[in-house]
């Protein structure tokens, strides 16, 4: 765990799937948030909880954490989905323009957190990829390579980030004096198909087995250069962190 590696005492929170050493928490309930924060008394909070089809979890849950933070440093993990399709990258100074309910919920959470906790960090990121095959994109590669229905979109473009790079960057931001909007995404824009093919090659699958369709155009790129300039963490491009076979 990245926090442990950096000598932080960590108390993970979970909703339904138990985590060793963690505390159960429903962020939709402000009383539970208050009780947990009073019991743990954290110096910092990295808030990642979301559910794409649930406004209460994604938006109100984040508001509850901000309202009950009790002086703790807050880093809120947001998303590129606060923006809509555009052919040029978005930088940290641009206002949200979501086109999906999930993006709208995250944008609402960003706005509320900045008003409630002015010193908070809003860390927008993109597709998160691991090295253990458990991320959504990695699992999709396995399913489609096995012949299950579905396809990768060639017109859906994002800036993938490796989970360890993201975790290190979030810890850096937590300990820093940075506040406001940050972008923590990979420096390389790829289509879902290009990303899927890289994952397939890494994992020993034939990338030509992955079906592809254009899909609805959705080009959402985060320009993370401003944030990267203040970070020691090197946020790698997908072609770098997916090089080589790490999952059988």
């Amino acid at each position: 765990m990245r926090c442990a590696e950096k000598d932080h005492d960590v108390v993970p929170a979970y909703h339904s799937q138990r985590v060793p050493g963690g505390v159960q928490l429903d962020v939709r309930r402000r009383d539970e948030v208050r009780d947990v924060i009073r019991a743990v008394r954290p110096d910092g909070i990295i808030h990642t909880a979301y559910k794409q089809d649930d406004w209460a979890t994604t938006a109100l849950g984040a508001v509850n954490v901000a309202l009950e933070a009790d002086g703790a440093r807050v880093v809120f993990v947001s998303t590129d989905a606060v923006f809509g399709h555009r052919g040029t990258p978005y930088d940290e100074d641009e206002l949200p323009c979501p086109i999906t309910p999930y993006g709208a919920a995250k944008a609402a959470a960003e706005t509320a957190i900045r008003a409630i906790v002015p010193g908070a960090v809003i860390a927008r990121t993109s597709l998160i990829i691991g090295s253990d095959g458990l991320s959504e994109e990695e699992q999709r590669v396995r399913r489609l390579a096995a012949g299950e229905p579905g396809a990768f979109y060639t017109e859906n473009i994002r800036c993938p980030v490796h989970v360890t790079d993201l975790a290190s960057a979030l810890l850096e931001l937590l300990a820093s004096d940075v506040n406001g909007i940050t972008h923590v995404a990979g420096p390389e824009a790829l289509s879902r198909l290009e990303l899927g093919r890289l994952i397939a090659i890494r994992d020993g699958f034939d990338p030509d087995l992955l079906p592809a369709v254009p899909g609805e155009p959705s080009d959402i790129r985060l320009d993370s250069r401003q944030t990267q300039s203040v970070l020691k963490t090197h946020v790698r491009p997908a072609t770098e962190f997916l090089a080589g076979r790490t999952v059988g």
Side-chain angles (χ1 to χ4, degrees):
M1 181 179 289
R2 289 280 151 174
C3 287
E5 291 174 9
K6 295 180 181 296
D7 298 321
H8 296 289
D9 293 325
V10 182
V11 180
Y14 64 90
H15 178 234
S16 56
Q17 187 173 351
R18 186 175 296 276
V19 176
V23 292
Q24 190 169 23
L25 174 62
D26 185 342
V27 295
R28 297 170 298 183
R29 294 187 53 180
R30 185 174 171 183
D31 59 335
E32 284 195 20
V33 174
R34 181 188 305 118
D35 290 346
V36 167
I37 288 177
R38 286 180 177 176
V40 175
R41 299 179 62 83
D43 297 310
I45 299 168
I46 299 178
H47 181 68
T48 63
Y50 75 95
K51 191 174 181 182
Q52 290 210 359
D53 58 353
D54 184 1
W55 181 279
T57 297
T58 304
L60 297 181
V63 172
N64 288 337
V65 170
L67 288 170
E68 300 298 336
D70 195 25
R73 169 85 161 156
V74 175
V75 174
F76 173 65
V77 180
S78 190
T79 172
D80 54 12
V82 299
F83 297 118
H85 168 68
R86 192 175 81 175
T88 55
Y90 290 94
D91 63 36
E92 289 92 337
D93 297 325
E94 298 192 62
L95 296 176
C97 51
I99 59 173
T100 65
Y102 171 61
K106 281 289 193 179
E110 287 187 6
T111 303
I113 289 171
R114 296 188 73 186
I116 298 166
V117 188
V121 177
I122 309 297
R124 294 175 181 149
T125 192
S126 189
L127 298 179
I128 303 172
I129 308 300
S131 56
D132 53 10
L134 297 181
S135 73
E136 182 179 343
E137 293 299 309
E138 292 167 288
Q139 292 183 53
R140 182 177 293 119
V141 167
R142 289 173 177 266
R143 291 195 302 268
L144 297 187
E148 294 187 21
F152 280 96
Y153 297 124
T154 60
E155 301 297 323
N156 188 308
I157 299 171
R158 297 292 187 272
C159 296
V161 62
H162 195 277
V163 65
T164 57
D165 295 348
L166 177 60
S168 292
L170 293 175
L171 285 172
E172 246 196 274
L173 290 169
L174 184 70
S176 75
D177 58 3
V178 172
N179 58 56
I181 302 293
T182 62
H183 285 180
V184 188
E188 179 179 44
L190 296 172
S191 72
R192 295 270 186 157
L193 176 61
E194 290 170 328
L195 177 60
R197 289 177 65 88
L198 287 174
I199 294 170
I201 293 169
R202 181 202 66 179
D203 293 354
F205 298 112
D206 181 354
D208 293 331
L209 293 176
L210 302 181
V213 297
E216 187 74 19
S218 180
D219 186 340
I220 305 177
R221 313 179 191 205
L222 296 181
D223 185 339
S224 301
R225 289 176 295 177
Q226 179 177 317
T227 300
Q228 179 68 82
S229 70
V230 302
L231 292 175
K232 294 180 180 178
T233 299
H234 169 51
V235 180
R236 296 166 291 169
T239 49
E240 179 180 335
F241 67 71
L242 286 173
R245 182 177 178 179
T246 59
V247 177

